[in-house]
Amino acid sequence: MKPFNKNRKYIENEFEEASFDAVTGLSAEELYTKLSEMQEKSGDLERERFCAEAYAFLLEKLQLEINEHTPFAVKFNIGVDYSGFAGIDVFDSAIFRKQREKVLSEKLPEDYARMVDGDITGLSLIYTDFWHTVPGWDYIIPLGFSGVLENAKASRKKHENDGDARAVRFLDSVIIRYEAILGCMRRIYEYSLSFDVPEFSEAIKNLTIAPPKSLYEVMLFSVLFLYFEEIGCERGRTLGPIDSLYYPFYKSALDGGASLEEIKEMFRYFFIHFTATKRFAQQPFLICGSDVLGNDRTNELSHLILDVYDELNILDPKIHLRYHKNIDPEIFKKALSMIRRGNSSICIVNDEAVFRGYEKLGIPREDSQNYVLLGCYEPVIMGLEEAEVGVAWINSAKSIEYLLTGGRDILSGKYLGLKTDKSYATFDELFDGYLRQLDYTVDFAIEFAEKQSKYNVLMNPSPIYSSTFANCIEKGRDVHEYSLKYNNFSLKCFGLATVVDSLCAIKKFVYENGEISLEELTGALEKNWSGYEDLRIKILNDKDKYGNGRALPDNIMQRITEHLEEKYVGKEFSYGRRLRFGLDSIDTHLYRGRVTAATPDGRLAGEVVSRNLCATPGMDRAGITGYMQSVLKINSEAFLNSAIFDFTMHPSAIEGEKGLIDFVSLIKIFFDGGGFAVQGNIVNSETLKAAQNDPRAYSTLQIRVCGWNEYFVRMSKAKQDYFIKESELK
Amino acid sequence: MIFAIKRFETHDGDGIRTTVFFKGCPLRCRWCHNPESFSRETEIAYNDELCIRCGRCTSLCDASVIKDNKHIFDRTKCTFCGECIDICPRGAYSIYGDNRSAEEIAEEVLFDEIFFKGSGGGVTFSGGEPLMQTDFCVKLAKILKERDINIAIDTCGYVSREAIEKILPYADTFLYDIKAIDPEVHKACTGKSNELILDNLKFIDSKGKNIEIRIPYIPEYNSGEIEKIAEFLKGIKNIKLIRVLPYHKYADSKYLSLGTKNLSPEKIPTKEEIQRARETLRRISGHKVN
Ligand code: SF4
Ligand code: SF4
């Protein structure tokens, strides 16, 4: 194969530019039509078998393409639009979505209608989470496809003898799907023979009959496994801790005489493959971390991986890095220097906070030491835990609205909150009223999650994902029948800075200086502040905002998060599931913000509500340390389902060798002080230009001027131009 | 009196620091980027570039009028009540001058103690010239020292020997500005001669304190002084680092908004010039240069 840099251009956009060979199967449209017909007629068919057969049909008929420029040569035509992030595929649109809607609307009609209302109005997004999975990579890699199939067959035999019909049904569906996978592999092999990809053909042949034996094969196996999982509407949201999973293969490659450069070349192809697949929200992998004794797991491969990633200058796949006190200082520094250079797709998570978070669920470190992060940044213990990390996102800012209107949603006019009286004699009474409103929304999300959990297998049986756990294969149960050691589910609550700033404004402007009555304030919000612009500006200019280490807002934030912890975190529900809570928004704060009425913090209707643990945009005015102080006051370890802190800095604030050392100290201090996770944004000239055109969106961007930092958007145009020019020269 | 407290400073001494900017300075360096530090009095700044002529401030204060879409600001009428700051949607006004006690300032500064301790950082007294307010400086330093906070004094050196003696027991490092050796050049650049400054530096050195020298580099003003400065610094033993600070023309709008006459030079140094200056300093003085 030619060197990577000669081939890169043929790989980066290969999914967008794919042209599938019609002789290899049916077009995506034909597949969709056929699968839709099957779904239509599925009626009373036993669901697992039906889905397995639909899946087998799909694998048998989908079209293939071979790209001679990459060792990860095969692509499948599953009808995905790759113009942006990869869109939904045929199985998803023809089968899963229809089935989920059918099941929920038939089985839980009232709750379903309420859930849909919540979704439309931006109150909450409640989901059935088949989408965030951590395959038990350490179980399947040593087995390979054929080994899993053998285990499933052996287990089926045992359960048949024992008369466990449920197990037999489940295992049958595993067997059908794995036979389909092996059939598809043979098809790929045959087809690949007409191309100049001998190593690929050989590896495919090997993987059809045996587990991966080389570094290349384990990478190819991972790539294929993710496809085969995803095609059936289950989705592996991490490649796992690849520095330890692939380490033995790396070692034997070296022992076998491979050079480091050859190994690096392999990783270049591997990473760029994921860049090209454009999976929604990107494809993560994990490196580093500590074991239960605090030993560092960083190894030479972790370094090599980070070096290759850095050199490629890509954002996808994205990196999760586990920090702990004994982490190899060089790799930590390296990661931060990458972030400093503007690579914002590295997320660093603090082991200690995660371990403590698991302890709050009663899970000891012996087990939690093997957590990985999936999707954006949620910890899940690989092989032992199903966490349903995205069951619901709750817009906590809506509860402010309902607090003031007595339960009525301002923009839609519907009563979606708790119907209550709207007068509160004191601020404390009002605060309690807020918590009641918030609880009301959270309680519904939990109730919904509880009710739908019975129908998981009916909605979307997950035999491929389940097959990655010894437990599921041995017991003959789907993972969504709660067959792992730890079965949990998770909610997320976002918009809290908007809430805190709003409560501060109410406390000061209504209860303290009496500038406006509660009733009039409610009216002002209904009118989107029209006629109250002076007051709105005063509120916006007021200093008591979360994100500055100030007592009043930070104290309100603490009261809310402590309430959530006490009332919900770790609480046990059906099937022994414990509730995990998170304070992150992903990007829902944007979409939900659009349909959220004005709030008392001066926010206008439709503007974003606050994201993750961030301050309201533009309101963190005390610099990064002040910001961190606010965040550190939150009991973030209780929010295991992620409590991520995003920061934005200009490279000049941490320039030079000293700047890097200080940056390392800053993040270390944050973690050692209890911080949960960080992702950084160190901006360059493009961002500065964007900030110049859209100052509101970049209101917190700080620029190092001489001996101090200034807010970029508050500088004169001439000064901004100066910095843009300067950063272009860097 | 101080005019600002800035956190997460990484350019003013070791580790992560908070810098307290004292108000008032005996020099008038033509290139100064902190004109709000000149006067010892409270000042108001109004930045016309930010104003959108909404009229909010004019309806509550006589200091501002809007006529023909021009905002006329008469700062002599200002009583520093701060109301315009609360009401302006664009943040066009700022007040420079904070009269809080040393205890109050210490409390605010100590807020970042974990960051100082974790990074080997501390607090930097800057300005303006902190040692112009010797007693206040010492009071603040004493409180911080009780908590074992590292203290750096960023000084222009144009202060009494007594002031230096008073702060010495609390100072861990001096960040010391040297602008010129030729007294005439110094006078032309800053308005004052430099004997006192050079003498004070020798005195501090004799006391064995860590010193970081800062040399602002301004083409055509002090660019001809580099060799002489280097020769002089050769004799100062306790220098840990010499930093050359290239002149930037950042502060124009600040001058304008304070109504202060702007004498800032036009010419900005090239990268090569700065490299050369660093090289010269390194070669002649024998110290570490950055
Ligand atoms: S309040 Fe601010 S924006 Fe409005 S006129 Fe005054 S200075 Fe200008
Ligand atoms: S501080 Fe008070 S007196 Fe001074 S300009 Fe502003 S409103 Fe007028």
Side-chain angles (χ1 to χ4, degrees), chain B residues 44 60-64 73 77-85 93 95:
Chain B
I44 180 137
L60 66 90
C61 175
D62 292 344
S64 286
F73 180 56
K77 289 193 177 144
C78 173
T79 58
F80 309 111
C81 71
E83 281 188 43
C84 54
I85 295 177
Y93 294 97
I95 289 180

Side-chain angles (χ1 to χ4, degrees), chain A residues 537, chain B residues 46-48 50-60 64 66 71 84 87-93:
Chain A
I537 288 160
Chain B
Y46 159 71
N47 186 345
D48 194 58
L50 294 176
C51 174
I52 48 164
R53 316 290 188 249
C54 74
R56 286 194 170 80
C57 59
T58 57
S59 63
L60 66 90
S64 286
I66 294 177
H71 184 150
C84 54
I87 193 67
C88 174
R90 301 279 297 156
Y93 294 97

Side-chain angles (χ1 to χ4, degrees), chain A residues 218-229:
Chain A
V218 77
M219 287 174 172
L220 183 59
F221 175 76
S222 302
V223 165
L224 291 169
F225 183 84
L226 287 180
Y227 275 135
F228 290 134
E229 196 191 0

Side-chain angles (χ1 to χ4, degrees), chain B residues 141-172:
Chain B
K142 232 183 211 165
I143 305 172
L144 297 177
K145 266 299 159 206
E146 274 163 23
R147 298 276 282 268
D148 203 22
I149 303 292
N150 175 293
I151 294 174
I153 308 288
D154 179 6
T155 177
C156 71
Y158 195 81
V159 292
S160 69
R161 177 63 53 87
E162 196 196 341
I164 297 200
E165 280 173 346
K166 278 190 176 166
I167 200 71
L168 263 178
Y170 307 101
D172 296 284

Side-chain angles (χ1 to χ4, degrees), chain A residues 621-671:
Chain A
R621 298 155 171 156
I624 183 82
T625 54
Y627 200 167
M628 282 184 169
Q629 301 268 18
S630 277
V631 177
L632 287 178
K633 284 190 219 155
I634 297 172
N635 46 333
S636 30
E637 66 202 36
F639 296 93
L640 178 67
N641 204 40
S642 213
I644 182 107
F645 170 59
D646 313 58
F647 60 90
T648 305
M649 287 165 101
H650 188 269
S652 61
I654 44 172
E655 69 197 354
E657 184 54 23
K658 177 174 186 299
L660 181 57
I661 293 168
D662 292 338
F663 187 33
V664 169
S665 302
L666 179 78
I667 304 300
K668 244 177 116 41
I669 294 164
F670 178 71
F671 283 146

Side-chain angles (χ1 to χ4, degrees), chain A residues 533-534 537 541 549 622 624-626 629 649 652-653 655 658 662 665 669 704-705 707-708 716 719 722 726, chain B residues 7-11 13 15-16 33-34 49 56 85-89 111-112 114-115 118-119 248 250 254 268:
Chain A
E533 195 57 17
D534 286 3
I537 288 160
N541 283 345
I624 183 82
T625 54
Q629 301 268 18
M649 287 165 101
S652 61
E655 69 197 354
K658 177 174 186 299
D662 292 338
S665 302
I669 294 164
R704 181 91 194 164
V705 176
W708 70 92
S716 65
K719 201 168 187 175
Y722 189 103
E726 205 183 40
Chain B
R7 300 155 81 165
F8 195 68
E9 287 292 343
T10 58
H11 297 64
I16 297 173
H33 50 248
N34 283 345
E49 287 185 48
R56 286 194 170 80
I85 295 177
D86 293 343
I87 193 67
C88 174
F111 203 65
D112 276 354
I114 59 162
F115 292 97
S119 69
H248 289 296
Y250 287 144
K254 250 201 218 172
I268 290 166

Side-chain angles (χ1 to χ4, degrees), chain A residues 31 35 39 47-48 50-60 62 76-80 87-97 99-100 127-133 173 176-178 180-181 184 223-236 279 456-466 478-480:
Chain A
L31 289 172
L35 289 173
Q39 165 70 14
R47 196 67 197 167
E48 276 164 319
F50 165 75
C51 285
E53 281 167 0
Y55 178 87
F57 164 79
L58 186 55
L59 285 199
E60 195 194 324
L62 51 73
F76 302 124
N77 187 5
I78 45 172
V80 171
I88 62 169
D89 61 51
V90 284
F91 196 94
D92 193 345
S93 51
I95 294 185
F96 170 64
R97 281 170 202 242
Q99 176 71 3
R100 175 174 177 264
Y127 207 66
T128 327
D129 197 359
F130 299 107
W131 203 73
H132 290 94
T133 80
S173 76
I176 296 171
R177 293 212 193 201
Y178 270 79
I181 288 173
C184 186
V223 165
L224 291 169
F225 183 84
L226 287 180
Y227 275 135
F228 290 134
E229 196 191 0
E230 187 170 81
I231 284 174
C233 233
E234 309 163 58
R235 188 169 167 211
R279 287 207 163 83
N456 283 342
V457 178
L458 190 58
M459 281 188 273
N460 194 40
S462 306
I464 300 288
Y465 171 42
S466 304
D478 191 290
V479 74
H480 291 116

